[in-house]
Amino acid sequence: MLAAPLAPARTEVTRTAYWTRLGPLLAALACATRIPSFARPLWNPDEGYLAVQARLLAQGGQLYETVVDRKPPLLPWLYEAAFALCGSGSLTPLRVLAVLAQLLTAALLASLARRRWGDRAGRTAGVLYLLVSVGLNPEDAQAATFEVFILPGTAAALWCADRGRWGTAGAAVAAAFLTKQTGGAVLLPVLWLLHRRGATRTGAPRLAAGFAVPVLGAALATNPSGFLFWTVTGSASYASLTGSGPHALGRALANTAILAAASAGLLPPVVRALRVARAETADLWVWLASSALAVIVGCHFFGHYFLQLTPPLALLATAALHVLPARRRPAAVLTSACACAVFVGWGLLAPRSELAHAQRLAAALTERTAPADRVLVWGIHPETYWLAGRTPATRYLTAGLLTNYSGGRDGPRVGEEYAVAGAWPVFRREMTAHAPALVVDDSRGEPYAPDRVPTLRRLLAADYTEVGRVDGAVLYARVPGTQAASAWRAPVSPGPRAARSPPRPAPSPGAAVHGRRSPPGGRGRRSRRSVPRSGRPRCPAPTPPARPVPTPRPGPRPPPRARSPPAPGARAGPRPPAGPAAARPPPGGPATSRRAASRRRSRRPR
């Protein structure tokens, strides 16, 4: 009689005791694996871009208007909030938030595995995920950027869908999408579970509403048209497959090999899972496939893209270890722990060449400019603005948005014509409104160098002069007294089929101009009498130096003098342009014209 009421309480106590033991273990492991992230102020350009965006937003900038990027707004808002609370001089608050994001992802995966395969499976899933989550280049795995904050949303979407909470699952998918567009790929396994549970009629409206409400709210909170352009429609050139085949393929193979080495303890069980427990893990395979699709989209294959593969890999390995002999579990965990130790050591000892370059460049900007000056860093390292504490002269923080180099292109599709639609007119207006006091060419021989960008090349030639170099980066200071951005008034670049006519030579001093008389006394003075055309070309007489035209005296105009024929030996001036009057034949017909020409030839001195 008393046993039945006590069962729920005993289950609650068991659940509390389970998380009381597992929670500190996961927290300690999350902190240990993320120690390298605190070892340097900045890890990659994405962190620098987000830091500069957060500062501009704090200064009154508006997202998708004066502060732009091809990403959704959630992470810039998170950076802005962290800077507002803790100051903008350090990324340490974001490092702490990244640790919490990894801990939350591990806890959600442990809960999902525990619900399906028991307590031991839950511990295995959480631990394996944290061990493999740093198994990439430290610049990709240790940075507090988009993929790290995507993963809690994707794990929460599967956790809610597994429990039939479709509205909350839609909101979790929206959170992942609003962090980065590829986070929306988790919608595929959620839809798979919705179909498999037979809840399409009742669950689909709740799933759609849960996804749509946060997305529409974010669009309305920013600029709906700008939100649509920068997150969806304006990324066509970035996602193009042209111009980067071998370059992207090499990066894909390298990052795949690195992740495979980090997952050495997971891959054998995952391969084993292809033959066992397939029915129980179908949604996890769909999750892995959708995450792989998110990595492939755009064919850029940056290392941090591969982080989306780690949660489904950890769950698939846990599912396989659940049915395999018990001795396989410690071997998988030990192998993963050894690989994790190698990657943590790599993070602590990794070279800092690009960070050191950005710091030296920022020091040069600080020395040559005042805090209120605007500067332009032409490169792909926006962290220079943040390290120097200077405001960018444009909303486009990297040259990639103006040349399409941000996608890692290797040359064929890099240039002004491949920029974000409408970017160059906005860029020219910004340069005219507030010209930068210092321009830094940090291209260092890359395909977006100023000598390949006509508009920027004209600006530097017209208004700036080189004042120094830092590690291959060229510094240009504004020439005193020049008008703001005078070079922007020229066209961006001629079209591919534009007519290229040679420039018209300037008239010589004293030359006769059509419709006006030459200065009096000149040997090349034209006769007022109409001269019939002849078939032979005439050589113009040598032009004498210009003589001043006498100023007419005031008074009544004298009567016109009778016209006289040209003096013998005088040579006619340049022929007037063809027109109706010149094309009309002289009176008397062709015979009279021939006789008149013969008489003129006979009068010439021999």
Side-chain angles (χ1 to χ4, degrees), residues 94-359:
L94 280 306
R95 306 273 190 255
V96 175
L97 292 176
V99 173
L100 295 178
Q102 292 288 63
L103 177 60
L104 178 59
T105 304
L108 289 169
L109 295 179
S111 177
L112 190 61
R114 180 174 181 256
R115 174 182 170 86
R116 295 190 178 189
W117 306 298
D119 293 352
R120 182 178 294 180
R123 290 191 294 269
T124 302
V127 169
L128 287 179
Y129 166 74
L130 290 173
L131 292 175
V132 79
S133 64
V134 294
L136 288 165
N137 189 313
E139 293 184 357
D140 299 310
Q142 297 291 343
T145 52
F146 299 97
E147 278 72 18
V148 172
F149 293 98
I150 280 178
L151 299 179
T154 59
L158 261 292
W159 187 90
C160 295
D162 190 60
R163 287 160 171 78
R165 302 175 184 178
W166 306 113
T168 312
V173 175
F177 172 80
L178 291 174
T179 303
K180 190 178 179 181
Q181 296 93 323
T182 53
V186 75
L187 183 62
L188 293 179
V190 171
L191 291 175
W192 173 272
L193 285 173
L194 180 66
H195 172 72
R196 185 178 178 182
R197 302 284 174 85
T200 305
R201 180 174 299 180
T202 58
R206 288 183 288 167
L207 178 65
F211 176 80
V213 170
V215 174
L216 291 177
L220 294 175
T222 54
N223 177 11
S225 60
F227 176 86
L228 180 64
F229 176 81
W230 285 102
T231 59
V232 182
T233 61
S235 300
S237 60
Y238 182 85
S240 173
L241 305 180
T242 307
S244 58
H247 189 64
L249 181 60
R251 188 189 298 118
L253 294 176
N255 287 319
T256 301
I258 293 173
L259 183 60
S263 306
L266 277 65
L267 291 180
V270 169
V271 173
R272 179 72 174 175
L274 288 172
R275 293 177 291 175
V276 297
R278 286 180 293 182
E280 297 181 3
T281 58
D283 57 329
L284 302 181
W285 285 108
V286 174
W287 189 8
L288 181 63
S290 64
S291 300
L293 181 64
V295 173
I296 295 172
V297 167
C299 290
H300 300 308
F301 301 106
F302 291 117
H304 48 85
Y305 290 7
F306 288 75
L307 288 174
Q308 289 183 253
L309 300 174
T310 53
L313 278 176
L315 285 179
L316 285 170
T318 301
L321 291 172
H322 176 65
V323 298
L324 289 176
R327 65 179 183 276
R328 301 289 298 272
R329 191 188 310 268
V333 173
L334 181 60
T335 304
S336 299
C338 293
C340 177
V342 171
F343 281 95
V344 170
W346 184 9
L348 292 173
L349 303 175
R352 307 183 181 189
S353 57
E354 288 299 331
L355 175 61
H357 169 75
Q359 289 173 329

